[in-house]
Amino acid sequence: MRVVAWLVVAVLTAGCSVLSIDLSPRIKPLEEQTVEGSGDDKILLTDVSGFLSDESTSGLLTIGTPPARVPLLVRVREELKKAQGDPKVKALVLRINTPGGTVTASDVIFRELQLFKQEKKIPVVAVMMDVAASGGYYVALAADTIVAHPTTVTGSIGVIMLSFNAEGLMQKLGVAPSTIKSAERKDMGSPFRALTPEERAIFQSVIDELYRQFVAKVVERRQISEATARARGDGRVYTAAQALVRRLVASSA
């Protein structure tokens, strides 16, 4: 013991020691928990809630920092992967409570569910809670059956891009931005100047293409015409009863 102690002291006093203390919160491995019931067969319950993105909710290390959380896309993928390898899992219930999020995050979850269905070949049911709108509805379209709670708000089918123009404010403050760019369109969407008609048309073409993909999934999954899907996908929200009448959901529990 004394020899070890002297060695430690010698290393420290020599000025060549490097100490690395990891104080970041630990992410626990995926664990299976039984919500209710008993027996060998299982139904996987997966939550898709909050803002849909590929980012983790944990921040910098501070006093009272909650445990780090796995990013939503990673968690969903891992849950599906584990269920896919479990022959006892006979169905998947997707519990959705989200106003939407980024286009890519919504599409990634949709595709993960599609791949899961192709491989596992079990029923997938989407259960809408308080809100399942925009990207939340997009994700629900991957399910075989969509069930809405009587008080659910859903719909908001569409794509939106927001920007602001602070050019007038900057002029009042006597501040003028200086931009150095590699090409004419590189600062499209800058808050320091207004969009030109050509730039607005470019952004609109992007939004239109993303919206076309959204509508195509509504047409395919809900078995309605494109004209009907576009009419019902004008951005408005629906109650569960309204969505049921418009065939956007299969039933209202």
Side-chain angles (χ1 to χ4, degrees):
M1 294 293 291
R2 290 183 180 179
V3 174
V4 174
W6 277 111
L7 287 175
V8 172
V9 172
V11 171
L12 292 176
T13 56
C16 62
S17 64
V18 177
L19 300 179
S20 177
I21 303 176
D22 187 359
L23 299 178
S24 60
R26 297 290 83 197
I27 297 177
K28 296 182 179 180
L30 195 63
E31 296 180 355
E32 182 177 305
Q33 294 181 339
T34 301
V35 178
E36 63 176 305
S38 60
D40 291 335
D41 290 342
K42 307 172 186 176
I43 296 177
L44 173 63
L45 177 63
T46 295
D47 273 304
V48 176
S49 59
F51 185 78
L52 303 183
S53 76
D54 62 346
E55 298 180 359
S56 174
T57 56
S58 60
L60 298 175
L61 179 64
T62 57
I63 297 177
T65 299
R69 295 182 59 186
V70 177
L72 175 63
L73 303 190
V74 176
R75 176 177 60 78
V76 170
R77 182 181 296 115
E78 288 302 308
E79 289 180 0
L80 296 179
K81 182 179 178 180
K82 185 171 183 178
Q84 187 173 318
D86 188 345
K88 294 182 180 180
V89 175
K90 304 299 183 182
L92 166 63
V93 173
L94 194 67
R95 186 164 55 190
I96 301 175
N97 193 5
T98 170
T102 68
V103 173
T104 298
S106 304
D107 191 61
V108 167
I109 298 175
F110 178 92
R111 293 176 183 274
E112 289 289 342
L113 291 167
Q114 289 287 81
L115 291 173
F116 174 79
K117 287 168 54 180
Q118 292 174 11
E119 296 294 330
K120 189 67 174 175
K121 293 180 172 57
I122 60 174
V124 176
V125 179
V127 178
M128 297 177 169
M129 303 304 289
D130 295 302
V131 180
S134 194
Y137 184 72
Y138 190 105
V139 170
L141 289 171
D144 299 306
T145 304
I146 302 176
V147 180
H149 193 273
T151 56
T152 294
V153 174
T154 187
S156 189
I157 298 171
V159 184
I160 186 173
M161 173 184 173
L162 298 175
S163 64
F164 66 93
N165 183 2
E167 185 177 13
L169 176 62
M170 300 288 284
Q171 291 175 352
K172 288 183 178 180
L173 295 175
V175 178
S178 178
T179 304
I180 301 173
K181 52 188 178 180
S182 60
E184 182 182 359
R185 308 296 185 195
K186 188 58 182 176
D187 65 338
M188 282 175 49
S190 168
F192 303 122
R193 67 174 180 84
L195 286 171
T196 67
E198 294 79 10
E199 290 170 345
R200 181 174 293 277
I202 292 172
F203 279 127
Q204 186 64 56
S205 69
V206 173
I207 296 300
D208 290 344
E209 171 57 22
L210 295 174
Y211 176 63
R212 184 197 63 77
Q213 296 179 35
F214 199 158
V215 169
K217 286 180 171 57
V218 176
V219 171
E220 176 189 358
R221 303 300 302 162
R222 298 310 304 155
Q223 295 295 298
I224 58 179
S225 68
E226 181 177 345
T228 300
R230 286 183 176 274
R232 295 170 185 174
D234 61 356
R236 76 183 68 186
V237 294
Y238 300 100
T239 65
Q242 292 170 341
L244 180 61
V245 171
R246 291 165 176 78
R247 294 175 56 193
L248 296 177
V249 300
S251 63
S252 178

